[in-house]
Amino acid sequence: MTTDSFASSRLIRQRSFVLFWLSRVASTVGYQMLTLLIGWQLYELTNSAFDLGLVGLIQFVPAVVLTLLIGHAADRYDRRLIIRGAQCLYAVTAVVIAIALLTHTLSRDLLFVAVLLMGCGRAFELPTAHATVPALVPTPLLARAVASWTSANQVATICGPALGGLIYAISPLAVGCVCFVFFAGAIVCVTLVRLERPPAPREPPTFASVFAGFSYIRERSRLLGVITLDVAVVLLGGATALLPIFARDILAVGPEGLGLLRSAPAVGALVTTIVLSNHPIERRVGKCMFAVVAIFGLATVVFALSTSFLLSLAALVVLGASDAVSVVIRFTLVQLETPDEKRGRVSAINSLFVSSSNTLGEFESGVVAAWLGTVPSVLIGGIGSLLAAALWMLLFPDLRRIDRYPSADEKKSA
């Protein structure tokens, strides 16, 4: 490759990564705002912790049902097309809710349908986007790119709920309209992304090709441990679904406070990912991952017991910071230990575990809160996260002993 062509290729990659980053920000801002709108409207209509938990279960269903289809599609078709389709589904959902608010026909069932549509879109968008990131950066820079990519999510998670809460205080209808604008911007950005490598030839799915991701993960204990760790921790420690209850009934801060509570974890995560994008973790990777998982559990316990709005915000900031370190380490390990031709399928399975642990964890939190109360539900989850981290250290000792990220040579030898 000549110097000019190399420089041109590098410029295309940089421009495409920036556009992809912006698309991620816009899509996640809209998604977070729409989630806040749905959560607050649902609790206003039903006053039910169980219904808030049911939102997580509804989102969990498409992630499970569609996982194999998503992974195969991401490895056989243009990943940008799949991402655009998912973002179009978000935009349609925002329009439906806005019309329902305008015509005063919003109902519990309609909100659940909206959640299902969003769950389908997210099930396709996340694993496909994750599998696309390594194609936009050189392998030695992947850890930094992952941190930068994660920061996009955190920027959006900060701005989305906070902006959504402020706009909601003025007009719930305006929230739906602004969400549509963000989704439209995300679609434009991802359309302009250029990939140097064309998608693999389209072939009909076979039993072996569809299940290749599961086989690949099962044969590698470190990969299996990394992917399942998130399920164990977040399934027990997730308290996001109960934030409307904390905001209204425990901390008495209203929808504006709910927006800040939903943004707080992202504040900690954003600061952390900015640091990691410039100073990535290079030694004791495995031990660092388990350490931050333990911090995540402790922060959850503090949040559960807090009756102070400021202390609750601080606990959520620490929770988000620790989770961000864990996410960057896990995402980098998964991508580096998976060849590109299997990244779509492996990313789909990884996304299934990540998404299902979050959504199913929200359902679990809602059910336990309905049985035992809101505070005991979150407290049990935090303690369970600590126990899960300790158990995984025993079950996957190779994961604990990882010192550095695997190099390209190690990947080939594997």
Side-chain angles (χ1 to χ4, degrees):
M1 179 180 290
T2 66
T3 302
D4 290 343
S5 61
F6 179 81
S8 176
S9 174
R10 182 178 180 182
L11 182 61
I12 290 172
R13 278 189 169 191
Q14 290 176 342
R15 178 176 176 271
S16 293
F17 185 78
V18 170
L19 286 168
F20 207 52
W21 192 93
L22 291 173
S23 174
R24 177 63 173 162
V25 170
S27 177
T28 308
V29 166
Y31 184 90
Q32 291 293 332
M33 292 176 63
L34 202 54
T35 299
L36 180 140
L37 174 62
I38 290 173
W40 193 267
Q41 285 288 322
L42 183 63
Y43 195 52
E44 284 285 305
L45 287 171
T46 67
N47 287 302
S48 171
F50 179 80
D51 281 346
L52 289 175
L54 197 58
V55 169
L57 181 62
I58 294 172
Q59 290 179 308
F60 169 73
V61 172
V64 173
V65 174
L66 300 174
T67 293
L68 297 180
L69 173 62
I70 294 165
H72 191 275
D75 281 336
R76 293 295 182 269
Y77 297 89
D78 190 330
R79 290 167 181 168
R80 295 166 299 180
L81 181 62
I82 297 173
I83 295 169
R84 283 200 302 268
Q87 292 169 346
C88 286
L89 195 56
Y90 296 153
V92 169
T93 305
V95 170
V96 169
I97 292 180
I99 293 175
L101 287 169
L102 183 63
T103 57
H104 305 288
T105 56
L106 193 65
S107 66
R108 173 180 179 269
D109 291 341
L110 181 59
L111 288 172
F112 283 153
V113 171
V115 169
L116 180 62
L117 291 175
M118 291 175 66
C120 290
R122 200 155 182 83
F124 275 94
E125 182 193 26
L126 288 184
T128 307
H130 291 166
T132 305
V133 172
L136 300 174
V137 295
T139 299
L141 298 179
L142 182 59
R144 294 175 183 266
V146 169
S148 178
W149 170 257
T150 305
S151 72
N153 184 69
Q154 306 312 330
V155 167
T157 307
I158 292 170
C159 298
L163 182 61
L166 292 174
I167 297 176
Y168 188 99
I170 300 172
S171 168
L173 174 60
V175 178
C177 297
V178 174
C179 286
F180 175 81
V181 172
F182 275 107
F183 293 139
I187 293 169
V188 171
C189 287
V190 81
T191 300
L192 297 175
V193 170
R194 291 179 59 185
L195 297 178
E196 294 180 319
R197 283 178 296 198
R202 301 182 182 185
E203 10 180 291
T206 63
F207 184 86
S209 68
V210 168
F211 283 87
F214 282 105
S215 300
Y216 188 82
I217 293 170
R218 188 180 63 250
E219 294 167 359
R220 289 159 177 78
S221 62
R222 295 201 311 190
L223 203 54
L224 179 63
V226 167
I227 291 176
T228 56
L229 177 62
D230 190 74
V231 177
V233 174
V234 182
L235 180 62
L236 294 168
T240 305
L242 304 180
L243 287 181
I245 300 177
F246 277 92
R248 196 186 77 171
D249 299 340
I250 296 177
L251 302 173
V253 291
E256 299 89 343
L258 173 61
L260 292 176
L261 288 173
R262 292 188 68 92
S263 299
V267 172
L270 177 61
V271 173
T272 302
T273 52
I274 289 175
V275 173
L276 291 177
S277 64
N278 292 285
H279 305 284
I281 296 172
E282 297 179 345
R283 299 295 305 273
R284 300 180 179 86
V285 171
K287 291 181 180 178
C288 286
M289 181 176 66
F290 284 110
V292 294
V293 168
I295 294 172
F296 176 91
L298 290 173
T300 302
V301 170
V302 172
F303 176 75
L305 298 176
S306 171
T307 57
S308 163
F309 181 57
L310 292 179
L311 179 59
S312 297
L313 285 176
L316 290 174
V317 168
V318 174
L319 183 148
S322 58
D323 186 53
V325 177
S326 176
V327 166
V328 170
I329 292 175
R330 287 186 287 105
F331 185 96
T332 304
L333 286 173
V334 169
Q335 299 302 321
L336 285 176
E337 297 203 2
T338 307
D340 185 67
E341 63 270 15
K342 288 187 174 69
R343 279 201 180 111
R345 282 162 286 183
V346 171
S347 293
I349 296 169
N350 184 38
S351 182
L352 168 64
F353 281 102
V354 172
S355 299
S356 63
S357 61
N358 281 283
T359 55
L360 201 57
E362 290 178 1
F363 177 66
E364 175 269 336
S365 296
V367 170
V368 176
W371 289 346
L372 302 178
T374 302
V375 172
S377 172
V378 179
L379 183 60
I380 291 171
I383 295 172
S385 298
L386 291 169
L387 295 177
L391 179 61
W392 250 245
M393 290 181 69
L394 296 176
L395 293 176
F396 299 95
D398 288 345
L399 193 57
R400 185 183 70 246
R401 289 193 288 265
I402 295 177
D403 185 48
R404 297 178 181 271
Y405 291 118
S407 64
D409 292 338
E410 291 171 330
K411 288 168 59 183
K412 290 178 181 178
S413 64

